[in-house]
Amino acid sequence: MDDLRIKYITAISEAKDENSLEDVRLAALGKKGEVSLRMRELGKMTPEERKVAGPTLNALKDELNSALNAKKTALADAVLNARLETEWLDVTLPSRSKNNGSIHPISQVTEEVIAIFADMGFSVAEGPRIETDWYNFDALNIPGHHPARAEMDTFYMKRKLDDERPPHVLRTHTSPVQVRTMEKSGAPIRVICPGGVYRADYDQTHTPMFHQVEGLAIDKDLSMANLKWVLEQFVKIFFSVDDVELRFRASHFPFTEPSAEVDIRCSWNDGQLKIGEGNDWLEILGSGMVHPKVLSAGGIDPNIWQGFAFGMGIDRIAMLKYGIPDLRSFFDSDLRWLRHYGFASLDQPNLHAGLSR
């Protein structure tokens, strides 16, 4: 056995890499290796011979395995040391600057809208996205036969047959927040209500879930003139123009009387929208004086108080301001899309996520 031991211990020590070490292992301990073949011969020996040869072969096998493992570890250490000698990293260098986050356009525009109206004395009110049929429709003077109450336009919550509670919907606008605010705070009021809303619609300019901001002001002597001034100030600041012309067009909303669609003067040059100049008009929002029935539903006496309300799509004004052509891209785009439209990584505090542009 000494000749086998010397042969393979020497071969193991002289192995230059893991491949050559594996060749030595197979030659000694593989299925057809010399030590393995010797161990198979134990069955042909007499009991006395096995008592002598068996322990000796097992000891040789264990010794070779230990030598193989030790050599494998030594070879791996040598490879690592060679890498350490040729590769190096200066850990004293400052790390590379990298901004990972970026504010979404909807959050960005919501922040801008809140800041503008805050300067005009409007506070922010929020409410539930799942609303009762009463807050979403009845309190806003929307009758039972109105198309908005049809299941093809509104998402109704599923109910059991024996459920006696009033119907619930995914709110179709943030106007219910106005009613809730009137109930809670009474008059006078000056508030905006931003948030997500839901309607059964989907195309280039409509999605089933989108965002609105609605405004409500109630006092004893407010008029359409006050409404127009507020909207003019907002448009000038939001679109960064010195002057803007607004046009009120008579319209109908169940919750306001009189009601008006609001257009802004604009122009289109090479596909680029310019606000405040030109011969074109662009509709951006709806508005009007709060209907007396809505005031009454909110617990406010319409014989004493009056006010105005307005509402606009945050997604829509974001598209107009930043030149985003498809509303659906707000929901399926990545950071490259955000950077393309000028939404940089976050580095300033904001109300939404602690960081902003």
Side-chain angles (χ1 to χ4, degrees):
M1 298 296 177
D2 287 341
D3 57 336
L4 285 179
R5 178 182 178 281
I6 293 172
K7 174 182 177 180
Y8 286 111
I9 289 295
T10 301
I12 290 170
S13 64
E14 292 177 352
K16 301 299 183 181
D17 52 43
E18 290 193 11
N19 289 332
S20 59
L21 184 64
E22 179 65 8
D23 292 339
V24 174
R25 186 191 72 80
L26 292 174
L29 302 175
K31 289 184 177 181
K32 297 182 179 180
E34 287 190 76
V35 177
S36 299
L37 293 175
R38 291 284 184 92
M39 296 192 73
R40 291 178 188 174
E41 294 176 357
L42 290 175
K44 301 177 182 179
M45 297 180 183
T46 64
E48 290 76 13
E49 290 175 331
R50 283 198 297 271
K51 289 182 181 179
V52 176
T56 303
L57 284 171
N58 283 327
L60 176 59
K61 180 181 177 181
D62 291 342
E63 183 179 2
L64 293 180
N65 277 323
S66 297
L68 286 166
N69 290 333
K71 184 64 176 180
K72 186 176 182 178
T73 300
L75 290 173
D77 290 343
V79 172
L80 178 60
N81 289 331
R83 287 187 60 190
L84 292 174
E85 289 178 0
T86 57
E87 300 176 11
W88 62 277
L89 175 67
D90 188 351
V91 296
T92 65
L93 291 174
S95 61
R96 293 184 180 92
S97 175
K98 184 177 180 181
N99 296 319
N100 294 321
S102 183
I103 192 167
H104 193 275
I106 299 302
S107 298
Q108 169 78 20
V109 171
T110 301
E111 296 293 342
E112 295 175 8
V113 170
I114 290 173
I116 293 170
F117 282 109
D119 285 342
M120 288 188 277
F122 286 79
S123 59
V124 176
E126 296 180 317
R129 297 197 180 200
I130 298 178
E131 270 292 5
T132 65
D133 190 70
W134 189 85
Y135 277 109
N136 198 79
F137 296 122
D138 295 312
L140 296 165
N141 196 36
I142 300 176
H145 61 271
H146 195 281
R149 301 185 75 144
E151 291 188 2
M152 68 178 62
D153 291 327
T154 298
F155 294 106
Y156 281 83
M157 308 302 293
K158 185 176 180 180
R159 305 173 68 197
K160 295 182 179 180
L161 293 177
D162 58 349
D163 191 344
E164 299 296 332
R165 295 176 300 171
H168 282 69
V169 300
L170 294 180
R171 67 182 184 188
T172 59
H173 42 195
T174 57
S175 300
V177 183
Q178 298 182 15
V179 179
R180 290 180 176 273
T181 303
M182 286 189 279
E183 289 180 335
K184 180 180 179 180
S185 304
I189 293 174
R190 195 180 300 181
V191 67
I192 60 170
C193 312
V197 298
Y198 305 85
R199 297 179 189 175
D201 206 352
Y202 187 70
D203 58 33
Q204 186 174 357
T205 57
H206 300 86
T207 57
M209 191 278 284
F210 57 102
H211 302 81
Q212 278 189 339
V213 58
E214 299 192 17
L216 173 69
I218 298 176
D219 214 315
K220 293 183 178 180
D221 56 358
L222 294 180
S223 67
M224 293 287 283
N226 301 115
L227 168 64
K228 187 176 182 181
W229 180 87
V230 167
L231 296 179
E232 285 177 342
Q233 294 302 307
F234 168 76
V235 172
K236 285 192 290 187
I237 298 171
F238 182 77
F239 290 106
S240 301
V241 294
D242 295 329
D243 195 18
V244 65
E245 184 179 351
L246 266 61
R247 180 177 70 178
F248 279 28
R249 285 184 293 108
S251 185
H252 169 72
F253 303 115
F255 30 79
T256 53
E257 181 61 38
S259 302
E261 301 279 6
V262 179
D263 303 333
I264 52 176
R265 184 177 290 279
C266 66
S267 65
W268 295 90
N269 294 321
D270 296 327
Q272 296 295 316
L273 174 67
K274 290 188 177 181
I275 303 294
E277 61 181 57
N279 298 317
D280 295 323
W281 293 93
L282 178 67
E283 176 189 322
I284 60 168
L285 59 91
S287 65
M289 300 299 292
V290 182
H291 197 289
K293 290 184 178 180
V294 176
L295 292 173
S296 297
I300 293 177
D301 187 348
N303 296 314
I304 300 175
W305 304 93
Q306 61 187 38
F308 61 77
F310 57 86
M312 69 188 85
I314 293 177
D315 313 62
R316 176 169 169 75
I317 61 175
M319 294 172 67
L320 294 176
K321 181 171 182 176
Y322 294 103
I324 300 170
D326 194 320
L327 181 63
R328 293 168 292 190
S329 58
F330 284 130
F331 303 96
D332 58 7
S333 301
D334 57 20
L335 289 177
R336 292 169 295 178
W337 174 82
L338 292 174
R339 296 189 184 103
H340 173 76
Y341 286 104
F343 293 90
S345 297
L346 311 177
D347 55 18
Q348 294 181 8
N350 84 93
L351 298 176
H352 271 85
L355 294 171
S356 173
R357 285 183 70 197

